[in-house]
Amino acid sequence: DAGVTQSPTHLIKTRGQQVTLRCSPKSGHDTVSWYQQALGQGPQFIFQYYEEEERQRGNFPDRFSGHQFPNYSSELNVNALLLGDSALYLCASSPSESSSYNEQFFGPGTRLTVL
Amino acid sequence: AQSVTQLDSHVSVSEGTPVLLRCNYSSSYSPSLFWYVQHPNKGLQLLLKYTSAATLVKGINGFEAEFKKSETSFHLTKPSAHMSDAAEYFCVVTPQGGGGTSYGKLTFGQGTILTVHP
């Protein structure tokens, strides 16, 4: 079992550009969540996808959008990048049948640097 | 609404001595509580979870935590620290099933960096 995988591992962009991050969930998991972890901070919830729909969203602007594919993999898109978007972006997956406890399994993250 | 406060941003111990990382939580619903560990440049690994069964929860690598509803606390302990325990630890809260608008969302504390001295 490969666990949760994310690509790329590192990314450097400039202000105003757009970026797409990718996530493949753990085998058997159908729910994907995205988190932003700024330097020295705890992860902040961005949104969660289930059945190809956004189910929950945190306090992030519309510049942050996502998508879930029929194979349960997911993308996070960020438009009009700001310096403050520099962070580690974490993807987490969980099986819907464990939803009562909401245990989520995390990938290694994508480190985004905005110059 | 839900929130987590980790009472220490840094904890330093000597190898072989006990570890205590403190966490208080707030939740409008019955909570599920987790401790995750993050080693440098690595993802988050689940240490243990509380899901309304036993209040004393045992996790991996000798860690355990006790859920105290009256104190709204979920402190993480380990009897004897090892050098490999040096990492950042996060306390996490989420509502159990049906927890309103927070359902599906993990709320993290700010983290506690554990340093272990030889």
Side-chain angles (χ1 to χ4, degrees):
Chain A
D1 183 1
V4 180
T5 60
Q6 293 185 243
S7 62
T9 55
H10 294 84
L11 205 50
I12 299 175
K13 293 285 187 179
T14 57
R15 281 177 295 175
Q17 285 189 311
Q18 179 264 344
V19 68
T20 297
L21 310 182
R22 296 176 176 82
C23 171
S24 291
K26 186 177 169 67
S27 177
H29 290 187
D30 55 8
T31 303
V32 174
S33 303
W34 287 92
Y35 293 81
Q36 180 195 65
Q37 186 178 18
L39 199 61
Q41 304 290 320
Q44 300 287 317
F45 176 78
I46 303 174
F47 41 53
Q48 183 180 83
Y49 277 83
Y50 172 67
E51 291 188 339
E52 302 180 48
E53 296 286 335
E54 183 181 290
R55 179 161 72 175
Q56 286 284 343
R57 188 178 183 93
N59 295 325
F60 280 80
D62 292 345
R63 298 186 297 109
F64 289 77
S65 63
H67 188 78
Q68 186 178 34
F69 299 93
N71 67 353
Y72 308 125
S73 66
S74 177
E75 288 182 348
L76 164 65
N77 300 292
V78 187
N79 295 322
L81 285 167
L82 304 174
L83 295 179
D85 295 331
S86 295
L88 180 67
Y89 288 85
L90 295 163
C91 172
S93 73
S94 55
S96 53
E97 60 265 27
S98 78
S99 57
S100 293
Y101 308 128
N102 206 19
E103 179 180 343
Q104 298 180 13
F105 294 79
F106 285 82
T110 293
R111 173 74 62 186
L112 172 64
T113 302
V114 182
L115 302 177
Chain B
Q2 54 192 20
S3 65
V4 175
T5 302
Q6 292 183 240
L7 299 170
D8 307 289
S9 58
H10 290 83
V11 170
S12 181
V13 301
S14 297
E15 191 175 21
T17 64
V19 175
L20 170 64
L21 305 183
R22 299 182 294 164
C23 170
N24 287 346
Y25 72 91
S26 172
S27 179
S28 303
Y29 300 90
S30 294
S32 292
L33 292 156
F34 307 87
W35 277 97
Y36 282 87
V37 60
Q38 187 175 38
H39 291 276
N41 300 313
K42 296 287 182 64
L44 292 158
Q45 180 184 19
L46 179 67
L47 276 179
L48 49 78
K49 60 183 178 183
Y50 165 77
T51 56
S52 78
T55 56
L56 182 62
V57 180
K58 293 187 184 298
I60 62 172
N61 301 333
F63 284 95
E64 62 181 39
E66 186 171 9
F67 172 70
K68 292 186 176 181
K69 185 176 180 179
S70 62
E71 299 176 10
T72 61
S73 70
F74 190 59
H75 301 334
L76 181 70
T77 60
K78 182 174 181 177
S80 176
H82 190 274
M83 295 296 291
S84 62
D85 294 329
E88 188 162 19
Y89 292 79
F90 292 96
C91 181
V92 179
V93 66
T94 191
Q96 294 186 20
T101 58
S102 295
Y103 181 67
K105 167 186 173 182
L106 299 184
T107 298
F108 285 75
Q110 290 292 90
T112 299
I113 295 173
L114 175 65
T115 302
V116 182
H117 298 286

